[in-house]
Structure formats: C-alpha cells, structure tokens
Amino acid sequence: MTDPNTNSSDDKMSKTVSLAKRRGFVFPGSEIYGGQAGVYDYGPHGVELLNNLKKAFWKANVYDKENYFGLDSGMFKHPRVWEASGHTAGFSDPIVECRDTQTRLRVDKELEAVGVTADEKMSVDELQVLFDEHKDEIAQRNNLSGNFTPVRAFNLLVQSNLGDFTGAGTDPVYLPGEACQGIYLNYKNIVDSMSPRLPFGVVQIGKAFRNEISPRNWLFRTREFEQADTQLFIKPNENKEAYEQLKQERLDWYVSLGIKPENLRFKQHENVAFYASDAWDIEYNFPSMGWDELEGVHDRTDYDLKQHMEFSGTDLTYLDPETNERYIPWILETSVGLGRMFAAVLADAYHEEDLGEGNSRTVLKLHPDLAPYRVAVSPLLKNKPQLVEKAREVFTLLKAEFGNVAWDDNGNVGKRYRRQDEIGTPHCVTIDFDTLGEEDPAHKDTVTVRDRDTGEQQRVAVAELVEFLK
Ligand code: ATP
C-alpha cells in the first residue's frame, strides 16, 4: 500500500482541513454570517477528539504523577494581574498596515519569513530600521504595494467591559492572554489547602484570547484557543536537571499518542520572552507550513511569584519544612495550545491508501484513546429485525463499557468501513447471520471485528468482545 500524501505536504494539509469540515470535526466560526476570523468551532466528532486529548493530557500530568494537582480558575481576573504579569506593558506584537489595502502584517513574522530574526527585546525604532531594509521583499511576498504605516507595538490582550456599568471606562478587565496566570494566583491557596512539598505541579486546561494581528494556518494561530499548562514549583536553583527531564517527558508524551517521532523536534529560543530565563519549543513538522511551535517549555525562575507578591502585597514565600527557610519557589512551565495539538494529531493520522484496482481509502490512524468513537457496531442488513435486535444488544454492551460507540447501519458494509476509516474508528463490529447461528452453529454469538489499520477481519465471541477490543 502506498501513501501518496507523504510527497505532497500542501495537499495533505488542505485535505486534512477539508476532511475535518466534511466529517464534523472543525467548522469555521460564525460561518453562516460570513465567518469570524481566528475562531473555530469543534463539531460532533471534533469535540470527542478534543476531549480525548484533554483526558490524555490530564491522565499523564495529574493521575500518573505524584504531587500534581488540577485547577480550574476563573477567566476574569483582577486588572492588576495583567500588570504584574507584564502583559499590559509587554505583551505586544510589532505591526504595520498597508495604507492601500488595510492589510496588517506582523513585522517579526514577516522578517522571519525573509530570513531575518528579530530580537524579542528590540524597540519599535530598531524594528523599523530592519523592516525598511526588507520592505520591498516583504511587500512582494504579500502582493502589496509597499505603502506601509510606521511600525508600532500592538497589545494582544483582549479587553472586556465586565462590571463597567457606567461606560465611564473604569480599570479595564481583560480576557486571559495565557491560562497559566490562574495557577500563580492560586499557588498560595494550593499550598494552604493541600500542604504539598516542593517540587509540586499544578495543571490547568483553560481558554486564552489574543488579538492576533493575522490569524492564519487553520487552528495554528487563532484568536480564541485553549491552553493545557503544567507549572512545576521547584526549589530555587534546582531547575537545570528538572527542566531537561520535563522537556523529554513532554516530547515522549506526543510519541505515546501516536505522533511520528520524525515529525517532532526541540528548538531553543534565541531570544526569550520577558518572563523566561530559558525557553525551548517542541516543534511539529506541520504539512504545508513546515516546522513550527507546538508547545513551549519555559524556565520562568521566580519571575511570576515575585511579581505577584510585589503587586498584590501578599506574602507568596514558601516555608521549607526541612530547613525552616522561606523562599519564593521557581517555576518550570509547559504550555501547549489544544488547537495546535489537534491539528498535529489529525495531520499525522491522515493517510490515503491505494488499495489497487482503482480503489483507495482515506483513513485517520488515530490512537484508539483519541478516536471520536472507540468502535462502531452494524447489523449486516438493516431490514432484518433479528440482525438489528442482536446488533442493538452488542451496541448496548459496548456502550456500557466504552461510552463512545457508533451505530452505523447506512449503506453496505464496505461503505460503512470507509466512513468509519475517515473518522478514525479503530474497529468495526458487524452482526451477521453467523452471529445468529443460522449458517454454522459453531459461530453462534460470534461477530466480525474489522481492524481499521490492517483491514483484517476476525471472528470474536460476543462474550470476549470487550476484552478483545481493550
Ligand atoms: P507564537 O510565537 O507562535 O505566537 P507564543 O510563543 O506566543 O506562540 P506561548 O505564549 O508560549 O506562545 O503559548 C504557549 C502555547 O500556546 C504555544 O506553544 C501554542 O501551542 C499556543 N498558542 C499560542 N498562541 C496561539 C494562537 N494564537 N493560536 C493557537 N495556539 C496558540
């Protein structure tokens, strides 16, 4: 069997995006109104995959660990939080606008595209010089005239009018620019209520909003997204070894979800963000886009707790029960956008296979724990009541065990298999006349189980079906 997609990465991404829409995984936001840029909705199959990703993340980072705690903090936070975090002053991207077409460009990314790395700490004036040097090339890349406004810093925080009943513009309240701040705000509550010893971790999956200048590349750069974060609180200066271990653990986790190791790599940031002392990305080789950031792993030292201690006036030191010393813990962070994870998992799982004699199939080779349905159940014929009744029995049995089980009685068996292949269902179970014992009494109460990846079929006793599928 061949995989024609491996040679055409552009094609593969557009096919993945189109399958995601056609088969109920991902829809453009507010589509019937012409769309809302940078927002996507997860459909019936997409939400299952998304929830399965979250479950897998939670299992690996909370249940399988010791001294890791879950959290779900409120989205709206005291306005001072974003001052303390550095976001109101420093969370901005450099922007220019084409005066003729009103097209906005993100200057650092445009420079990157023409082979120039802009230091994150560069001033607007310094960026202007670099931009001017490469203006013609950038204009050409974007099919623009070159009539640009000066470079300016554009803050990415999304403002809300929560509680501003007079419209007088009291202290602005922001939607979260990153999910992790909720963890820092609850660090003291967690220490007081759970009495953890260092090192301990706190895990949250939460929404983030950014006024991205040019949302693009499907789920990769959106204005609303979810982040899955772990924040590991450690003793000061005990960061180096723990950081290396964390990085490797996170990369290995993606491989355990079935992502091909050759599509993953580490990349160190040349310039680190204002809060970090060291930063590495786990990059994924996205079809059509190439290597880009999937997850960030950051060594944040004591920056966050120190800032919040100063701005809130609350003591956030930790009393070490062994040494009786007080100090501010350091933090190692991992942060990944669920949308990017979703896009990587889907693109990695997408395969087209030539079955010979002019036949081909599209199959999502998703890890069974991630697939929207664990298994699909079908009666061989939907107009034979005995078959339907028996199939319903099996369906109920499997649903009680796995929860997410599909019932599929449309079209012929071959079509059902193709349909389930396209949404990544690992096994299809068919109830036929053999199951009823009509053809061969020895086969009574056995079903056909078809494997998604090999296409092989096996007869399995209903009594052993749950174990077999597990
Ligand atoms: P980039 O450089 O691509 O803008 P970032 O370095 O600002 O990303 P972080 O602030 O470190 O990203 O956020 C952590 C993770 O959140 C990223 O690794 C990514 O997976 C996700 N993320 C960030 N911005 C977006 C976005 N606009 N859309 C979707 N996911 C995002």
Side-chain angles (χ1 to χ4, degrees):
M1 285 196 263
T2 58
D3 180 357
N5 287 287
T6 46
N7 293 330
S8 169
S9 134
D10 279 359
D11 208 30
K12 181 168 176 174
M13 199 65 219
S14 64
K15 283 179 176 174
T16 305
V17 174
S18 127
L19 179 139
K21 166 109 198 288
R22 186 162 41 83
R23 299 307 318 273
F25 283 88
V26 179
F27 307 129
S30 307
E31 195 183 13
I32 61 168
Y33 283 92
Q36 174 66 38
V39 180
Y40 285 89
D41 299 336
Y42 291 88
H45 292 144
V47 71
E48 295 300 331
L49 171 53
L50 185 69
N51 285 342
N52 289 341
L53 284 169
K54 291 185 201 177
K55 270 189 239 163
F57 181 84
W58 205 260
K59 180 175 180 305
N61 293 290
V62 182
Y63 303 152
D64 291 352
K65 293 266 180 86
E66 265 181 58
N67 236 16
Y68 273 67
F69 308 95
L71 180 76
D72 194 315
S73 63
M75 269 201 267
F76 289 112
K77 296 174 173 69
H78 192 284
R80 294 273 282 166
V81 169
W82 302 106
E83 275 177 54
S85 68
H87 282 75
T88 43
F91 190 48
S92 58
D93 284 334
I95 179 178
V96 289
E97 192 170 321
C98 167
R99 289 197 178 91
D100 303 328
T101 61
Q102 281 72 51
T103 307
R104 294 189 189 108
L105 300 179
R106 194 172 142 182
V107 174
D108 55 335
K109 294 285 170 198
E110 290 301 325
L111 286 170
E112 211 174 283
V114 298
V116 181
T117 307
D119 191 316
E120 289 210 19
K121 294 184 184 77
M122 265 187 180
S123 69
V124 163
D125 291 341
E126 287 168 319
L127 281 166
Q128 183 73 59
V129 173
L130 270 189
F131 183 75
D132 286 341
E133 275 171 27
H134 299 273
K135 193 163 79 174
D136 294 341
E137 210 178 334
I138 292 172
Q140 206 178 14
R141 269 192 80 243
N142 291 281
N143 289 328
L144 297 170
S145 63
N147 184 10
F148 292 111
T149 59
V151 178
R152 67 185 170 92
F154 178 79
N155 193 289
L156 301 185
L157 283 179
V158 177
Q159 206 168 313
S160 135
N161 68 348
L162 183 83
D164 182 10
F165 301 111
T166 61
T170 47
D171 272 351
V173 175
Y174 298 102
L175 291 169
E178 58 180 17
C180 58
Q181 292 299 326
I183 298 182
Y184 310 142
L185 300 187
N186 284 287
Y187 150 81
K188 182 171 161 31
N189 284 329
I190 288 170
V191 169
D192 291 348
S193 59
M194 310 302 288
S195 313
R197 295 257 176 119
L198 291 177
F200 70 88
V202 182
V203 178
Q204 169 159 343
I205 299 176
K207 285 253 176 177
F209 300 83
R210 294 183 187 179
N211 231 333
E212 292 284 355
I213 293 160
S214 40
R216 61 174 65 173
N217 292 327
W218 197 42
L219 303 174
F220 183 84
R221 190 171 301 288
T222 52
R223 289 184 173 143
E224 173 181 343
F225 54 100
E226 255 179 314
Q227 286 179 317
D229 280 0
T230 69
Q231 306 286 324
L232 180 61
F233 295 84
I234 55 169
K235 292 185 183 177
N237 296 309
E238 292 199 353
N239 51 338
K240 290 286 175 257
E241 202 180 314
Y243 187 56
E244 287 313 312
Q245 200 181 323
L246 197 59
K247 272 167 51 194
Q248 194 56 47
E249 207 176 274
R250 292 299 303 144
L251 189 122
D252 292 347
W253 182 72
Y254 289 107
V255 176
S256 79
L257 290 186
I259 295 199
K260 297 176 193 81
E262 63 270 26
N263 285 336
L264 292 163
R265 73 176 188 195
F266 287 116
K267 188 181 170 204
Q268 188 172 23
H269 279 219
E270 283 176 34
N271 312 295
V272 291
F274 56 88
Y275 54 75
S277 79
D278 194 7
W280 287 73
D281 291 339
I282 296 175
E283 291 195 327
Y284 179 76
N285 192 8
F286 290 93
S288 85
M289 283 167 59
W291 292 99
D292 214 326
E293 174 174 348
L294 172 62
E295 165 162 342
V297 186
H298 307 131
D299 185 346
R300 300 181 73 122
T301 67
D302 59 358
Y303 176 83
D304 306 280
L305 290 183
K306 223 168 158 179
Q307 287 289 106
H308 285 303
M309 184 155 146
E310 187 188 326
F311 276 69
S312 67
T314 306
D315 181 7
L316 297 180
T317 55
Y318 173 84
L319 176 63
D320 193 317
E322 282 158 23
T323 62
N324 241 9
E325 270 177 285
R326 277 198 170 276
Y327 49 77
I328 296 178
W330 286 21
I331 293 174
L332 301 177
E333 165 187 69
T334 74
S335 180
V336 53
L338 261 304
R340 288 190 192 180
M341 202 198 283
F342 190 102
V345 163
L346 217 57
D348 218 79
Y350 186 97
H351 289 79
E352 269 178 21
E353 289 176 351
D354 183 353
L355 303 173
E357 295 170 11
N359 294 319
S360 67
R361 68 165 185 157
T362 301
V363 52
L364 288 185
K365 295 190 174 174
L366 292 168
H367 189 292
D369 290 346
L370 300 182
Y373 297 111
R374 188 64 187 70
V375 51
V377 178
S378 304
L380 181 67
L381 301 168
K382 72 171 172 188
N383 55 2
K384 293 280 177 226
Q386 308 98 301
L387 288 177
V388 174
E389 196 187 323
K390 188 71 192 167
R392 281 270 160 204
E393 249 175 57
V394 173
F395 177 63
T396 308
L397 171 89
L398 295 181
K399 239 179 151 32
E401 182 63 35
F402 298 112
N404 53 344
V405 178
W407 172 264
D408 195 349
D409 61 6
N410 267 330
N412 63 34
V413 174
K415 284 199 176 128
R416 292 174 202 162
Y417 288 163
R418 293 290 162 274
R419 227 178 3 250
Q420 296 301 327
D421 284 347
E422 269 200 331
I423 58 170
T425 309
H427 290 103
C428 289
V429 169
T430 305
I431 283 74
D432 54 22
F433 293 105
D434 258 4
T435 317
L436 305 177
E438 287 183 8
E439 317 256 310
D440 176 354
H443 279 165
K444 192 167 182 325
D445 282 325
T446 62
V447 292
T448 303
V449 181
R450 185 250 186 194
D451 183 283
R452 176 195 67 196
D453 297 341
T454 61
E456 275 167 22
Q457 304 189 13
Q458 258 179 282
R459 284 213 80 86
V460 178
V462 172
E464 286 158 21
L465 195 52
V466 167
E467 263 326 291
F468 177 86
L469 292 171
K470 273 185 177 170

